[in-house]
Amino acid sequence: MLSDTVKSTIQTAYSNYLSARDLKARHGQKHMLAQVARTLGSIELDAEGKKVAGASIAVIEAGTGTGKTVGYVVSAVPVALALEKKLVIATATVALQEQVVNKDLPDIQKYTDLKFTAVLAKGRGRYLCTHKLEQLIQFYSGTVVAMSLFEETMEADEATLSFYNELMTSFGSGEWTGDRDQWQDKLDDSLWSTVTSTHRECLNRRCPHYQNCPFFEARKELEEADVIIANHDLVMADLSLGGGAILPAPEDTIYIFDEGHHLPDKALMHFANQLTVKFLLNQLENWRKQLPKVRLELAYGEQSERLVDELNDGLLNAHQHLSIAWTSLQPWFTRLNADDRTLTLLQPEQLLPFFDILQPLQSPLSALFMTLTAIEESIRKRLSNATDIEEKERLQNVMPLIGRWISRMEPAKDLVSSWLNVDVENAPPTARWLERIDTPEIQDLVLNTSPVSANQVLRNFLWHRCCGAILTSATLTVDSKFDRFLAQAGISENADVMKVNSPFDYPQLVQAIIPSFAVDGGKREPHSLSIVNLIETKLPRETGNLVLFSSRAQMREVYEQLSDDWKALVTLQDDLPKTALIAHHKARLEEGGGSTLFGLASLAEGVDLPGNYLTHLVIAKIPFGVPDDPISSTLSLWLEAKGMNPFQIVTLPAATIRMVQACGRLIRHENDKGTIWMMDRRIVEKRYGKTIINSLPQYRWVIE
């Protein structure tokens, strides 16, 4: 129950915010703010600060223009401070994260009397590892002859050494903090990856550079901050490491998931498993060659000798069994080709041979992983007790190497275990599929597993542990019902739910037209011709236009059939990076010309084109997902076996959410106006079209 003090703090903060900005209270925003306060106010803690009952969760659909950030921050911050819990705000897109960090939170701090500290959280891979950088400079300078820290044979390169020295000079002088995003130029991914560290490679407090480590400096800020702004990926990565590895532990956290409709898919991505067979086979061979160096770094001693001998035997055993597996997998490798590089295994008879191939791998891979973790633990203990400087240096050299080996063994071990686990009856199965990698440099076979539903993943790793959570987005319901999202995200039906309508007067702002020449989106050639016809005869050349396609092939096909005059006005998504594409579009319009963007799914969400930047939006077709996606096809088959309709349960709701997001690009502010052209006749010819239309705002429809 909220105390009177907290209630008063929330009410005063909201009143001051509106007054300072000369704004009127938005009906939806007030309701959202109250619901967040009610839900989080129901959190009960014991004398030790641990929650007494289950997590307090609210799912709030807030239409465009509600002012979601103010709606949740003004309520959540006072509650979190009163409970002495961290508030983690997680977004799905960089654009929204930047808006929250650079605009929304500073505004709330400026225009209210709320006192809180906020910091942006990033994964370890965004920060420089000064220890690795120093080692690399020594290696490339010829100061170090043999480097057990690095697996690959590296050749001296003056340009690379110059780059490393530039990083070190800039960091050492204080001009650069070691944060990748603050470097003045674009950094090559392959080069940057050599100067960052994973949690397995990190020496932590035992590192000689710990006191000035960019990552741990950022961690100190997290520990001291009241509000942490992250993204869904970072939250899921932290949970997959057990929670509390990067962000505060879930038990000490209240989460806000903005753009919450993305959360289930993000969860699936982080709890999937993968084994790249030939790559790991080559790795095991390389590791065996490096064992003499590892033995020297660990120094001779009874325990070290025993562990290295175990490691040698484990590498040999794993290599032998993986070689046999690779040979046995050749028929499937040969079967897959450039036209069909993915094979989803749906039937029991398809899976049976793989159990025979993978079963012999389970014990060797698990044993090798356990040996590596035992060596890592031994090194950590020795480092804690070591007083000899030379011994410390040797152990500091070898520990990141062992950490990297563990980080490559763990997913392989987990993949085999996941693949061999028997699916639980009456529970969604595990998706299992193969992918062939076929480039001039690499030919390999990748084995994959993934849960097909995030229900249990989120329930076990997040909802059962966290103190409380608010999930919000403009697209959480289908036909005004939350059922589909609650089931997908593993949230109890007893959770608080609220639908807050947009304050925009959509019937006055938007005309949605289905022209007479629109055709069924499944009829490829006539459908493409109808879009060409629309552009050539109906779209104004001088306005800001966006045409959203479901496939790259159709996007290019339509572009090629346009007249030269129209081609000069069109910019394809593939022509420029996303940020540059939007900037180019805006610049053309600001110069007095017209501009039309051709885009795919990534332009259908998180893109802000207010006012004249977008007045005509074309939806090429209903954005149904790819039917042969391994996760969707596995789930669909299971639903069919249970007598359920996968189209109604999975395909249609997902397409509806995508459609609402795509249409949401048009009206961003209350003064925006425009036209949406629906070019897929199925929206009025098929029974399911009514569900899509009912989920959209109340546009002024014109069906020719």
Side-chain angles (χ1 to χ4, degrees):
M1 191 69 131
L2 286 178
S3 69
D4 290 340
T5 302
V6 173
K7 285 180 184 176
S8 175
T9 300
I10 293 170
Q11 291 165 357
T12 302
Y14 188 51
S15 176
N16 288 348
Y17 181 83
L18 296 175
S19 176
R21 301 201 63 190
D22 196 23
L23 298 171
K24 291 183 180 179
R26 297 177 185 177
H27 179 76
Q29 191 178 64
K30 281 175 63 179
H31 279 273
M32 182 177 182
L33 188 140
Q35 183 61 65
V36 172
R38 278 195 299 271
T39 299
L40 299 184
S42 68
I43 296 171
E44 290 184 56
L45 303 178
D46 61 20
E48 297 178 351
K50 296 179 181 178
K51 66 177 181 180
V52 174
S56 298
I57 300 174
V59 179
I60 303 172
E61 180 175 275
T64 305
T66 300
K68 293 196 301 294
T69 313
V70 171
Y72 56 69
V73 169
V74 171
S75 279
V77 166
V79 176
L81 290 174
L83 295 174
E84 297 183 347
K85 298 298 178 184
K86 297 287 188 180
L87 181 66
V88 171
I89 299 173
T91 72
T93 60
V94 174
L96 181 56
Q97 191 177 49
E98 289 176 346
Q99 178 185 314
V100 170
V101 172
N102 299 323
K103 182 179 182 298
D104 295 342
L105 288 185
D107 279 355
I108 291 169
Q109 289 173 315
K110 180 179 179 181
Y111 297 118
T112 72
D113 52 0
L114 292 179
K115 299 290 186 282
F116 62 92
T117 55
V119 65
L120 176 64
K122 302 177 187 180
R124 195 186 293 264
R126 306 305 295 179
Y127 295 99
L128 172 74
C129 173
T130 47
H131 182 58
K132 284 183 79 171
L133 180 60
E134 182 183 71
Q135 297 279 9
L136 279 162
I137 291 172
Q138 290 176 351
F139 176 81
Y140 276 86
S141 303
T143 312
V144 177
V145 178
M147 282 282 288
S148 64
L149 177 61
F150 300 97
E151 299 171 49
E152 295 80 12
T153 302
M154 295 156 50
E155 296 179 4
D157 180 297
E158 287 188 17
T160 304
L161 176 59
S162 175
F163 167 71
Y164 289 146
N165 280 322
E166 185 182 1
L167 291 182
M168 183 62 85
T169 301
S170 186
F171 177 74
S173 67
E175 293 177 9
W176 177 52
T177 63
D179 181 336
R180 177 177 182 172
D181 300 315
Q182 293 176 10
W183 185 253
Q184 66 269 28
D185 299 314
K186 186 177 179 180
L187 289 169
D188 179 76
D189 288 342
S190 59
L191 269 177
W192 177 255
S193 67
T194 64
V195 295
T196 61
S197 177
T198 66
H199 78 286
R200 287 288 190 185
E201 297 171 85
C202 181
L203 293 165
N204 211 303
R205 294 180 184 275
R206 301 171 184 85
C207 178
H209 298 271
Y210 177 77
Q211 293 301 326
N212 65 346
C213 172
F215 173 71
F216 282 104
E217 283 297 310
R219 279 294 298 274
K220 288 176 191 173
E221 291 184 22
L222 289 189
E223 291 168 6
E224 295 165 2
D226 303 310
V227 179
I228 298 165
I229 304 93
N231 56 38
H232 295 186
D233 280 314
L234 187 59
V235 173
M236 289 300 119
D238 184 61
L239 294 175
S240 68
L241 293 172
I246 306 167
L247 299 170
E251 291 79 5
D252 298 320
T253 303
I254 293 170
Y255 293 95
I256 306 282
F257 290 103
D258 207 336
E259 302 174 309
H261 61 284
H262 283 294
L263 190 62
D265 287 339
K266 295 290 186 182
L268 290 182
M269 286 169 54
H270 284 274
F271 287 87
N273 298 293
Q274 194 172 77
L275 166 58
T276 309
V277 183
K278 193 175 178 183
F279 174 78
L280 182 60
L281 196 58
N282 292 336
Q283 289 291 300
L284 294 173
E285 182 64 32
N286 289 337
W287 297 352
R288 284 191 68 223
K289 292 176 182 176
Q290 292 182 72
L291 273 189
K293 288 193 290 183
V294 171
R295 196 182 294 271
L296 285 171
E297 299 287 23
L298 290 176
Y300 294 96
E302 186 177 339
Q303 186 189 30
S304 295
E305 286 289 296
R306 178 179 60 78
L307 286 172
V308 175
D309 287 343
E310 277 184 24
L311 181 54
N312 183 59
D313 293 343
L315 287 169
L316 183 61
N317 193 25
H319 188 274
Q320 287 175 342
H321 282 87
L322 194 59
S323 295
I324 295 168
W326 174 241
T327 302
S328 301
L329 289 167
Q330 288 309 296
W332 287 274
F333 178 78
T334 304
R335 172 179 169 181
L336 295 171
N337 53 51
D339 296 325
D340 190 6
R341 293 187 178 178
T342 302
L343 173 64
T344 306
L345 305 164
L346 300 169
Q347 304 298 337
E349 58 270 21
Q350 287 179 296
L351 286 167
L352 198 58
F354 290 91
F355 283 90
D356 293 336
I357 293 169
L358 296 180
Q359 183 70 51
L361 278 176
Q362 189 166 27
S363 179
L365 295 187
S366 295
L368 180 54
F369 176 77
M370 290 177 66
T371 300
L372 286 166
T373 52
I375 291 173
E376 182 188 48
E377 183 60 29
S378 172
I379 294 171
R380 289 189 186 278
K381 286 180 180 177
R382 287 177 62 184
L383 270 170
S384 296
N385 299 322
T387 55
D388 181 74
I389 294 175
E390 186 180 332
E391 181 187 9
K392 273 189 173 182
E393 287 181 353
R394 288 200 314 271
L395 295 174
Q396 287 166 356
N397 268 350
V398 75
M399 188 172 149
L401 176 69
I402 298 299
R404 187 151 60 252
W405 291 2
I406 291 173
S407 68
R408 291 182 180 174
M409 278 306 308
E410 190 167 22
K413 168 189 71 75
D414 290 346
L415 177 284
V416 173
S417 296
S418 172
W419 193 294
L420 294 174
N421 279 344
V422 178
D423 293 332
V424 179
E425 192 175 355
N426 295 323
T430 295
R432 299 171 176 88
W433 71 98
L434 313 174
E435 289 177 274
R436 173 170 171 157
I437 301 175
D438 203 350
T439 68
E441 300 82 24
I442 303 169
Q443 287 193 322
D444 214 328
L445 193 66
V446 185
L447 281 71
N448 301 271
T449 64
S450 172
V452 297
S453 168
N455 185 302
Q456 285 300 316
V457 167
L458 288 171
R459 193 172 288 184
N460 295 338
F461 287 86
L462 186 54
W463 311 136
H464 284 176
R465 296 182 60 189
C466 74
C467 226
I470 306 295
L471 296 94
T472 185
S473 169
T475 49
L476 292 173
T477 64
V478 174
D479 208 357
S480 296
K481 297 184 181 73
F482 285 93
D483 310 18
R484 177 252 186 191
F485 180 75
L486 294 179
Q488 194 182 35
I491 297 172
S492 166
E493 293 179 359
N494 296 324
D496 298 324
V497 296
M498 172 182 277
K499 182 176 170 65
V500 177
N501 291 323
S502 168
F504 297 155
D505 185 3
Y506 282 109
Q508 295 300 315
L509 301 178
V510 179
Q511 186 176 40
I513 303 175
I514 302 175
S516 58
F517 51 83
V519 298
D520 184 320
K523 299 174 181 177
R524 176 66 180 271
E525 289 187 13
H527 183 249
S528 293
L529 286 172
S530 73
I531 298 171
V532 173
N533 185 16
L534 174 81
I535 294 170
E536 296 277 4
T537 63
K538 300 288 186 181
L539 283 197
R541 294 169 182 256
E542 66 279 2
T543 58
N545 309 316
L546 172 61
V547 186
L548 291 172
F549 294 89
S550 293
S551 80
R552 180 171 273 101
Q554 187 178 43
M555 178 177 75
R556 293 197 165 278
E557 183 180 309
V558 169
Y559 176 77
E560 292 301 329
Q561 294 182 67
L562 291 175
S563 64
D564 289 342
D565 288 349
W566 258 106
K567 282 182 180 177
L569 298 172
V570 172
T571 309
L572 278 72
Q573 182 170 331
D574 294 340
D575 292 345
L576 294 166
K578 186 175 176 180
T579 304
L581 184 77
I582 300 301
H584 172 72
H585 174 74
K586 289 181 176 180
R588 292 180 77 171
L589 290 163
E590 287 163 4
E591 291 165 2
S595 178
T596 297
L597 293 177
F598 276 18
L600 300 165
S602 63
L603 289 190
E605 184 170 353
V607 172
D608 205 16
L609 295 170
N612 294 330
Y613 294 132
L614 180 57
T615 52
H616 287 266
L617 172 66
V618 180
I619 307 293
K621 66 170 65 173
I622 300 170
F624 291 119
V626 181
D628 58 356
D629 166 66
I631 295 175
S632 298
S633 54
T634 302
L635 178 58
S636 295
L637 188 70
W638 179 75
L639 290 170
E640 286 175 357
K642 296 294 176 185
M644 293 180 273
N645 185 337
F647 179 81
Q648 291 293 336
I649 295 172
V650 180
T651 309
L652 179 59
T656 302
I657 294 294
R658 293 189 199 105
M659 179 70 91
V660 177
Q661 282 288 343
C663 291
R665 296 315 95 215
L666 184 62
I667 304 299
R668 307 306 299 167
H669 300 295
E670 57 189 11
N671 295 323
D672 292 350
K673 286 188 176 183
T675 302
I676 297 175
W677 299 88
M678 296 282 187
M679 296 306 294
D680 190 340
R681 200 92 192 165
R682 289 177 295 184
I683 200 166
V684 288
E685 291 179 344
K686 301 293 185 181
R687 289 177 61 186
Y688 58 74
K690 190 175 180 181
T691 298
I692 298 174
I693 289 176
N694 288 344
S695 299
L696 291 165
Q698 294 182 346
Y699 301 140
R700 192 169 74 257
W701 285 88
V702 177
I703 302 170
E704 296 179 351

